[in-house]
Amino acid sequence: MAMLIPEEWKRKVCEALDSDDDKRCVVRQRALLDWAATFPLAFAYEQRVALSEALRQPEIMGERKVMDEPAETYAFFFTHERVKMYGKVGLMPDGSVVIIYSSHRPDPSKGERL
């Protein structure tokens, strides 16, 4: 069930996404490949910028997800270059590292479900 994503989680995630320290942001291979396939002319850093910009929106809704890592993870929809995207990002318990699990076009068979 979609809900407002907690402000504290968004703040910490954006801090990591916006940092110049690549150790604070782990991008899963699939998320990297899906992003590149959707935006072949984009630079890799644009993925982090797009996710951070989306999470700065006060009304962004998301759904909590359970992953293998102990990360507090939310899935949400966002747009980049007028393309609707599905994102899934986790925040590790220490609050300094994020994992980008997904950033791809939504699965048409799921409709608006996260």
Side-chain angles (χ1 to χ4, degrees), residues 56-84:
R56 291 184 191 287
Q57 303 305 310
E59 72 282 354
I60 190 163
M61 303 288 282
E63 186 173 302
R64 183 91 186 258
K65 299 292 184 178
V66 176
M67 305 302 287
D68 290 337
E69 288 92 359
E72 181 179 355
T73 303
Y74 287 89
F76 51 92
F77 293 118
F78 68 103
T79 54
H80 181 68
E81 296 182 0
R82 295 183 300 277
V83 177
K84 185 173 183 176

Side-chain angles (χ1 to χ4, degrees), residues 11-82:
R11 184 187 62 76
K12 289 179 180 179
V13 168
C14 288
E15 283 177 6
L17 291 171
D18 297 342
S19 80
D20 291 331
D21 185 355
D22 288 337
K23 293 177 185 166
R24 295 194 64 196
C25 187
V26 176
V27 184
R28 293 289 182 241
Q29 188 69 18
R30 176 159 183 205
L32 189 62
L33 293 174
D34 287 344
W35 180 263
T38 306
F39 306 105
L41 300 178
F43 292 100
Y45 76 87
E46 291 180 63
Q47 180 184 47
R48 290 167 61 164
V49 171
L51 290 166
S52 179
E53 287 176 354
L55 291 170
R56 291 184 191 287
Q57 303 305 310
E59 72 282 354
I60 190 163
M61 303 288 282
E63 186 173 302
R64 183 91 186 258
K65 299 292 184 178
V66 176
M67 305 302 287
D68 290 337
E69 288 92 359
E72 181 179 355
T73 303
Y74 287 89
F76 51 92
F77 293 118
F78 68 103
T79 54
H80 181 68
E81 296 182 0
R82 295 183 300 277

